[in-house]
Amino acid sequence: MNYSLNRQQIKLWRLSIYFIFALPGFSMASWVSRTPTIRDTLGASTAQMGWIIFGMAVGSIVGLMSASHLIAHKGGRFVMVTGLAISSIGLIIVGVGGSWFVNSIIVFSGLAVFGFGNGICDVAMNVEGTAVEGVTKKSLLTGFHAAFSVGTLFGAIAGSVATKSGVSVPIHITFAAVVTVIFIIFLARFVPKGTGKEDNDDSNEPPMSARERMAVWKEPRTILISIIVLGMAFAEGSANDWLPLIMVDGYNVTPTMGSFAFGLFVAAMTIGRAIGGLLLDRLGRVLVLRISALLAIVGLLIVIFGGSYEFATIGIVLWGLGAAFGFPVGLSAAGDNPRGVAARVSAVATAGYLAFLVGPPFLGFIGEMIGLLRALIVVLITVTIAGLLSQAAKPIGKTNN
């Protein structure tokens, strides 16, 4: 798609995408912050809560798989607005089901709706992000993903305040949903219409058919980039789900110290993504991916074999910095070819989310047998594979990295 935008319009488009990336993080943290209350209200066991949360995984995968077709027909802006509106409805259903009706099936259904909306929005906003990169000729996707982390932080703070203030779950969740919808409606006006839409207006090539969009899953480059993203997303997701427990069980520290270690990881990853654009423009994708994989490998080795909590925290910082780049850089690489950009970004995003959703439970299964600390060797292997395949992310048609 060709864009006839002046400098001010491009600036507003770029700024709006930063805020849009923050909105799903805010929504997700709003739900996560109230999970203890919802679990207690439902009287659900840990295993039952796991099955309830699985509803979000189901919805997310369906959304990710559907996104490329929706974007191809309606464009990224429409799908972002629709996705966040749907996820907000799902959030309200979760709040009502987990408080007023006290019904686990309603909560499961709400999470499925929430996951679907987030899934299609995630692909659409990454398609928009790659389009902004193309127009500005700058590496921005890592910064956009840092904005997601900032949104998560604000959502967590708001959830903590609501919990301490005794605000009921439905009121808190509904407030978060309304805020999300208001922001996306306001921000959408600054986003060009039709990003990622397949038509004949701006290209000599015919639009991709549904079969062609599915065929991108077989492209060697897309497969290799998906493996890179899968490996690095596994490194990120395993920390998000298990790091506090890994430190508590592996180093015999208090839960507070385990939470502090997780905070270090999140801070390191957010800082890495915030400065990632500068590094990518100077060093190129391939070198950045190799360095990030190396940092994650060294960090994981320190955490696994460090021997002391203090030394392990250094490893956690390196692990967080290393895990910061794989997902956004892989999505940026998937968007190199404007034709079929939504299909490729969808395929790579799906690989990443599979790592987020399936990887941590698998790590828990391994950890049950050999301990969570030693189970990180599996993460070490996947990150090493991702680093070895980094060359696949080289920009199309360029001799440099």
Side-chain angles (χ1 to χ4, degrees), residues 22-35:
L23 292 177
F26 178 78
S27 296
M28 182 66 70
S30 298
W31 140 251
V32 171
S33 67
R34 303 313 297 259
T35 50

Side-chain angles (χ1 to χ4, degrees), residues 77-100:
R77 184 177 73 176
F78 176 87
V79 176
M80 284 192 304
V81 174
T82 302
L84 283 173
I86 290 173
S87 69
S88 296
I89 292 171
L91 206 57
I92 293 172
I93 294 172
V94 169
V96 171
S99 183
W100 290 345

Side-chain angles (χ1 to χ4, degrees), residues 228-396:
I228 294 171
V229 168
L230 191 150
M232 299 307 288
F234 187 26
E236 180 182 346
S238 59
N240 288 339
D241 285 291
W242 291 111
L243 187 53
L245 283 175
I246 287 171
M247 300 308 292
V248 170
D249 293 350
Y251 286 92
N252 296 315
V253 298
T254 65
T256 300
M257 295 172 74
S259 296
F260 175 76
F262 175 63
L264 282 178
F265 177 87
V266 174
M269 191 169 66
T270 302
I271 291 170
R273 285 178 172 173
I275 66 173
L278 297 175
L279 295 176
L280 286 163
D281 287 335
R282 176 166 295 187
L283 302 177
R285 285 183 197 152
V286 175
L287 183 55
V288 166
L289 283 174
R290 286 173 177 167
I291 292 172
S292 67
L294 181 61
L295 286 172
I297 289 168
V298 173
L300 283 163
L301 286 171
I302 292 174
V303 172
I304 296 169
F305 302 109
S308 72
Y309 173 82
E310 291 74 18
F311 190 37
T313 57
I314 297 174
I316 287 169
V317 172
L318 295 176
W319 179 3
L321 288 171
F325 299 96
F327 198 21
V329 173
L331 292 171
S332 181
D336 279 347
N337 187 348
R339 187 171 188 264
V341 59
R344 293 184 183 88
V345 170
S346 176
V348 172
T350 300
Y353 273 90
L354 281 174
F356 285 135
L357 298 170
V358 178
F362 174 72
L363 195 68
F365 175 75
I366 299 296
E368 186 73 22
M369 296 185 291
I370 63 174
L372 284 171
L373 202 58
R374 295 295 180 263
L376 289 178
I377 294 173
V378 179
V379 182
L380 185 67
I381 293 171
T382 63
V383 171
T384 302
I385 293 172
L388 292 173
L389 297 178
S390 297
Q391 186 68 22
K394 184 175 71 173
I396 294 176

Side-chain angles (χ1 to χ4, degrees), residues 1-13:
M1 177 179 178
N2 294 322
Y3 298 98
S4 300
L5 303 174
N6 59 40
R7 184 175 298 179
Q8 181 65 16
Q9 289 172 320
I10 293 173
K11 182 179 179 180
L12 289 172
W13 181 19

Side-chain angles (χ1 to χ4, degrees), residues 2 18 26 41 52 59 68 119 130 144 158-159 181-182 186 215-216 227 250 273 302 329 339 352:
N2 294 322
Y18 277 112
F26 178 78
T41 303
I52 292 170
S68 65
T130 59
F144 291 144
V181 171
I182 290 174
F186 173 76
V216 303
I227 295 173
R273 285 178 172 173
I302 292 174
V329 173
R339 187 171 188 264

